[in-house]
Amino acid sequence: MLIFVINFIWSTGFARVKAAANPWNARGLEWQVSSPPPPQNFAHIPVVLSGPYEYGVKDAPPVADLNPPVGVVSAAYASAGVEA
């Protein structure tokens, strides 16, 4: 138990290393924001362009457009019959 306590104190107090933004080049939206995330996560509603499983596929499209042009999201909701 003493080893655990010493390791915990050392890891949280002395040996803190800032992690990279996206160390695994993951494609999910949760990895596209900064850390810690801003209050609303995204400035605009992101438009998802592809699935999350194209990891490692050459020339795969980006997972999402984080700054879509004005009107794209509301047009997508309108075509789906959903009120935004």
Side-chain angles (χ1 to χ4, degrees):
M1 189 64 135
L2 183 62
I3 293 173
F4 170 76
V5 172
I6 292 170
N7 186 29
F8 178 76
I9 292 170
W10 177 259
S11 298
T12 57
F14 301 107
R16 297 189 78 157
V17 178
K18 189 172 182 175
N22 188 355
W24 301 282
N25 294 323
R27 299 178 46 83
L29 288 176
E30 66 272 12
W31 288 101
Q32 306 305 313
V33 295
S34 62
S35 179
Q40 298 297 324
N41 286 349
F42 299 103
H44 307 284
I45 297 174
V47 176
V48 177
L49 303 173
S50 66
Y53 301 112
E54 283 87 14
Y55 181 75
V57 175
K58 185 176 170 132
D59 299 327
V63 75
D65 183 359
L66 300 182
N67 295 309
V70 176
V72 170
V73 175
S74 58
Y77 280 135
S79 68
V82 177
E83 286 189 31

